[in-house]
Amino acid sequence: MARGLAVAWAVLGPLLWGCALALQGGMLYPRESPSRERKELDGLWSFRADFSDNRRRGFEEQWYRRPLRESGPTLDMPVPSSFNDISQDWRLRHFVGWVWYEREVILPERWTQDLSTRVVLRIGSAHAYAIVWVNGVDTLEHKGGYLPFEADISNLVQVGPLSSQLRITIAINNTLTPTTLPPGTIQYLTDTSKYPKGYFVQNTYFDFFNYAGLQRSVLLYTTPTAYIDDITVTTSVEHDSGLVNYQISVKGSNLFELEVRLLDAENKLVANGTGTQGQLKVPGARLWWPYLMHERPAYLYSLEVRLTAQMSLGPVSDFYTLPVGIRTVAVTESQFLINGKPFYFHGVNKHEDADIRGKGFDWPLLVKDFNLLRWLGANAFRTSHYPYAEEVLQMCDRYGIVVIDECPGVGLALPQFFNNVSLQNHMRVMEEVVRRDKNHPAVVMWSVANEPASHLESAGYYLKMVITHTKALDPSRPVTFVTNSNYAADKGAPYVDVICLNSYYSWYHDYGHLELIQQQLTTQFESWYKTYQKPIIQSEYGAETIVGFHQDPPLMFTEEYQKSLLEQYHVVLDQKRRKYVVGELIWNFADFMTEQSPTRVLGNKKGVFTRQRQPKSAAFLLRERYWKIANETRYPYSIAKSQCLENSPFT
């Protein structure tokens, strides 16, 4: 029987969500339209790290008041990228403190002369704290990496005949503290027989490298002075009709009209409405289905919104188009349902990490990863352990890859991290995540943390508050966090909708004893389900593997051991996925960089692909399994076998 929450989502979700998000403001993805233009600022920026002892020389000398090159030597730094691995300067690899970016831009004349045009500067991500100046004027600040922020700079560029020249300066600090997300600590090493005076290190409590800088695109875009600020869409299904509920926020004018049109993939009108909120009914609607769950997955409609406003200088129009997928999500005691059908997550965990670009967004890498996901037969991934670039979610919408959208709540390992300041910051970050990603049909669940110290009493209250806040922001999706605590001690598990478990049997303990996995994994599942009566996802499992290492019988770090460990997990997963286990996500899709340690050989090697995206032996095992699971759902087994062995099964 479905729990009451699933019913509440279906009945009250659209109304409650609209109310919850009405005060948050918009963060629509900048799309070109007849009323909107965009100017990419990707490419080479001037860059300088502040190596002074207190890391504040840039502020003391006010580097933002004049071109950065006048303050001292600068480097060419590609944007987007992480700054850590670009230079041959070893100091940048582990640099902690303030770095400075600058770019000089020439604006189109119409942007600076047309007072009915609004000019916005948008930074896709700056990890982890950023201050922005435009022509030396302090313009905005933002706390937290991985999420976009922006400012209206019209009053700085529409000031005279020379206003087309623009100098953008961004100072970024990658220091992690007990109240940042993710948290960290600074440790001063005071033994002067070993360390120079003032020597310190950044301590982190997560297993990936703390790449930093301008890691996503920076751009300028325009809107009219009266503009569409935000759109919130929820969808449901009633008999054979799709229902699209919309709420639109307008800024810059109180005297306006809104026209709303819903177009199908062939650009044909299927429904229309007016006003700031309403419901569009689509008879015989084509639903958004996950990849491999339907012969025609990921169907997207287009919601076209046209604003006409009366301004003192005359009428103003604004246009915005939002892709819309009609689908429903619900959770029962033993199932995860998409469009009323049981859905099984068979996918991966990922990192936005590859070679010298670090976590810098890269279109060729993104397309390659999606080709590998489809080759693998994966239908889902978790954004471990931070929100990915907006373009990643757009690809998921297009291809039907289901997403568990996770915030940067990773490394919450110490009691001092569960404080009131951190709690308020964590809830603000969830507001930003939901505000940015709420309209993506591919996003089916929010994850508020990864492996927090959820056995602590303070963590229980903390997680309860963050989960409750997230559900208030968006009642249409389930909420989880990913745990590695004991089922009997976990203080946060009562508040989630789906149990997500990380376990590494025969890897981090009982080293090499593959024969124990089935018993230990069975006990894990049965204990959790008996206690909480909620569906379970095996959200991480895997083994470190150095490509090219071989040993039979299998030994740790060989490709044979990784394959054997996965096979032992799969035996139990096959028994439980027909009951209450609703997903499995391998750790990891590809190898990724970590901090240096004696246990990490150039990073974490648990990927089924190398960091260069070449397959290990386990990738072929996983591919056979995932295609078999997918085809068992859709087709008879005889067809499943032939499809699995085809060269291009996703065609």
Side-chain angles (χ1 to χ4, degrees):
M1 179 182 295
R3 291 196 298 275
L5 181 58
V7 177
W9 285 340
V11 177
L12 298 176
L15 175 62
L16 292 175
W17 192 12
C19 296
L21 291 178
L23 300 178
Q24 298 304 315
M27 193 57 68
L28 292 174
Y29 185 78
R31 301 181 186 276
E32 290 188 310
S33 75
S35 61
R36 298 180 175 225
E37 298 176 273
R38 53 183 280 166
K39 181 179 178 67
E40 306 282 350
L41 302 184
D42 294 351
L44 293 182
W45 287 54
S46 296
F47 173 89
R48 186 178 182 187
D50 187 341
F51 289 110
S52 62
D53 289 342
N54 66 359
R55 301 294 198 260
R56 295 195 59 81
R57 180 181 173 190
F59 294 97
E60 294 165 355
E61 298 180 357
Q62 299 182 335
W63 290 354
Y64 52 85
R65 287 195 174 277
R66 60 191 189 280
L68 192 59
R69 61 182 176 273
E70 296 180 11
S71 70
T74 62
L75 301 174
D76 286 336
M77 185 61 65
V79 173
S81 74
S82 306
F83 66 75
N84 308 81
D85 290 338
I86 299 297
S87 168
Q88 293 303 107
D89 188 341
W90 63 269
R91 296 175 299 171
L92 281 180
R93 169 67 180 172
H94 295 282
F95 181 79
V96 178
W98 290 99
V99 298
W100 294 71
Y101 287 79
E102 182 187 87
R103 175 74 182 267
E104 295 179 343
V105 184
I106 302 296
L107 296 183
E109 185 174 307
R110 62 185 176 277
W111 289 22
T112 63
Q113 302 303 314
D114 184 358
L115 298 182
S116 65
T117 294
R118 174 175 168 267
V119 182
V120 181
L121 170 64
R122 181 184 178 102
I123 293 94
S125 168
H127 185 66
Y129 177 67
I131 305 174
V132 182
W133 295 265
V134 175
N135 291 339
V137 178
D138 191 343
T139 304
L140 77 156
E141 299 182 15
H142 185 260
K143 296 180 181 179
Y146 310 112
L147 291 164
F149 55 102
E150 63 184 32
D152 184 338
I153 61 170
S154 305
N155 62 331
L156 299 175
V157 302
Q158 296 170 344
V159 294
L162 299 179
S163 60
S164 62
Q165 298 179 1
L166 199 65
R167 180 167 51 85
I168 301 170
T169 308
I170 306 176
I172 302 173
N173 194 322
N174 64 342
T175 306
L176 302 181
T177 73
T179 60
T180 59
L181 207 64
T185 57
I186 296 295
Q187 180 182 3
Y188 283 88
L189 302 173
T190 57
D191 184 345
T192 55
S193 68
K194 295 181 179 180
Y195 307 103
K197 184 180 179 181
Y199 193 85
F200 67 91
V201 293
Q202 170 80 77
N203 291 325
T204 59
Y205 302 87
F206 48 81
D207 188 32
F208 58 89
F209 191 78
N210 188 36
Y211 282 113
L214 290 174
Q215 300 183 137
R216 295 175 190 162
S217 293
V218 180
L219 58 88
L220 295 162
Y221 72 92
T222 66
T223 73
T225 49
Y227 60 97
I228 301 161
D229 174 62
D230 196 18
I231 303 171
T232 301
V233 167
T234 59
T235 63
S236 57
V237 178
E238 187 179 83
H239 304 301
D240 68 337
S241 294
L243 303 179
V244 177
N245 304 284
Y246 65 86
Q247 181 168 328
I248 303 167
S249 170
V250 173
K251 288 190 176 179
S253 176
N254 293 321
L255 187 60
F256 61 85
E257 294 180 352
L258 282 170
E259 298 179 30
V260 182
R261 305 171 65 211
L262 189 68
L263 307 179
D264 64 16
E266 288 73 41
N267 216 33
K268 297 178 181 178
L269 179 68
V270 295
N272 62 294
T274 59
T276 58
Q277 57 185 342
Q279 183 180 86
L280 305 178
K281 187 172 184 178
V282 186
R286 288 184 58 178
L287 303 183
W288 187 94
W289 289 96
Y291 176 52
L292 300 177
M293 194 174 177
H294 193 274
E295 293 181 2
R296 294 184 293 181
Y299 189 87
L300 292 174
Y301 292 86
S302 296
L303 188 76
E304 289 190 351
V305 181
R306 175 173 180 169
L307 165 72
T308 303
Q310 298 300 321
M311 307 292 287
S312 59
L313 298 178
V316 169
S317 296
D318 189 22
F319 302 85
Y320 192 87
T321 300
L322 179 73
V324 172
I326 300 176
R327 61 107 181 94
T328 64
V329 174
V331 174
T332 74
E333 290 182 354
S334 60
Q335 292 180 318
F336 194 100
L337 304 174
I338 296 181
N339 299 332
K341 304 294 184 182
F343 176 74
Y344 188 79
F345 297 78
H346 47 88
V348 302
N349 294 273
K350 291 180 85 276
H351 268 295
E352 288 188 315
D353 173 305
D355 298 335
I356 60 171
R357 68 183 65 90
K359 284 187 169 60
F361 176 77
D362 182 71
W363 271 112
L365 177 68
L366 177 60
V367 173
K368 177 65 174 180
D369 282 359
F370 269 78
N371 284 333
L372 289 176
L373 286 171
R374 296 178 359 151
W375 174 86
L376 202 60
N379 65 3
F381 65 78
R382 174 169 62 118
T383 66
S384 45
H385 302 293
Y386 40 82
Y388 292 176
E390 293 161 280
E391 293 83 357
V392 177
L393 297 185
Q394 292 166 12
M395 289 282 282
C396 291
D397 291 341
R398 290 180 57 194
Y399 288 105
I401 303 297
V402 167
V403 176
I404 300 173
D405 201 348
E406 188 164 272
C407 82
V410 59
L412 294 165
L414 303 179
Q416 58 263 41
F417 295 162
F418 299 98
N419 59 74
N420 287 334
V421 175
S422 296
L423 176 59
Q424 293 301 315
N425 183 43
H426 202 143
M427 291 195 292
R428 178 189 58 80
V429 169
M430 286 311 304
E431 291 174 8
E432 292 189 28
V433 173
V434 173
R435 178 178 64 174
R436 192 196 72 165
D437 298 342
K438 60 188 176 181
N439 292 321
H440 287 285
V443 175
V444 300
M445 183 159 58
W446 307 112
S447 173
V448 303
N450 177 74
E451 296 184 355
S454 51
H455 62 282
L456 300 173
E457 290 291 343
S458 57
Y461 172 79
Y462 183 105
L463 291 166
K464 176 183 178 181
M465 295 300 293
V466 175
I467 291 168
T468 301
H469 186 62
T470 304
K471 289 183 178 182
L473 292 169
D474 177 13
S476 73
R477 291 178 175 92
V479 180
T480 190
F481 73 89
V482 177
T483 184
N484 63 350
S485 294
N486 180 274
Y487 75 95
D490 198 303
K491 301 299 191 295
Y495 309 111
V496 301
D497 301 302
V498 177
I499 302 289
C500 290
L501 302 177
N502 292 352
S503 59
Y504 289 90
Y505 299 121
S506 300
W507 185 256
Y508 287 126
H509 46 80
D510 297 316
Y511 317 130
H513 289 280
L514 296 169
E515 72 277 6
L516 299 177
I517 291 176
Q518 291 189 36
Q519 178 180 345
Q520 293 177 357
L521 187 61
T522 299
T523 300
Q524 167 196 279
F525 286 143
E526 292 178 353
S527 298
W528 278 91
Y529 189 71
K530 181 179 179 180
T531 303
Y532 296 104
Q533 296 290 299
K534 296 177 181 180
I536 298 172
I537 295 175
Q538 182 69 45
S539 43
E540 288 184 25
Y541 71 107
E544 206 101 1
T545 304
I546 308 298
V547 68
F549 278 26
H550 296 283
Q551 188 78 34
D552 187 42
L555 297 182
M556 294 178 73
F557 294 98
T558 66
E559 295 192 47
E560 287 77 15
Y561 192 89
Q562 186 182 41
K563 282 184 60 179
S564 297
L565 185 146
L566 266 56
E567 288 171 336
Q568 293 299 310
Y569 266 82
H570 295 163
V571 170
V572 181
L573 286 166
D574 280 340
Q575 296 169 358
K576 301 303 183 183
R577 69 183 171 92
R578 295 175 175 86
K579 298 178 181 178
Y580 48 78
V581 171
V582 298
E584 56 190 79
L585 303 176
I586 189 73
W587 188 270
N588 193 283
F589 171 72
D591 296 343
F592 57 91
M593 187 53 66
T594 64
E595 294 286 353
Q596 296 184 77
S597 80
T599 62
R600 291 285 180 258
V601 183
L602 287 178
N604 189 306
K605 294 294 192 292
K606 291 190 181 70
V608 296
F609 296 98
T610 68
R611 205 166 178 228
Q612 293 73 34
R613 273 42 180 185
Q614 297 305 309
K616 303 177 187 179
S617 298
F620 297 94
L621 171 72
L622 211 59
R623 179 179 186 243
E624 182 176 0
R625 172 172 178 78
Y626 283 176
W627 277 102
K628 179 182 177 182
I629 292 173
N631 291 329
E632 282 177 355
T633 304
R634 298 188 305 162
Y635 305 112
Y637 177 74
S638 59
I639 299 179
K641 182 176 180 180
S642 64
Q643 277 216 354
C644 178
L645 299 178
E646 277 190 34
N647 291 329
S648 300
F650 54 83
T651 59

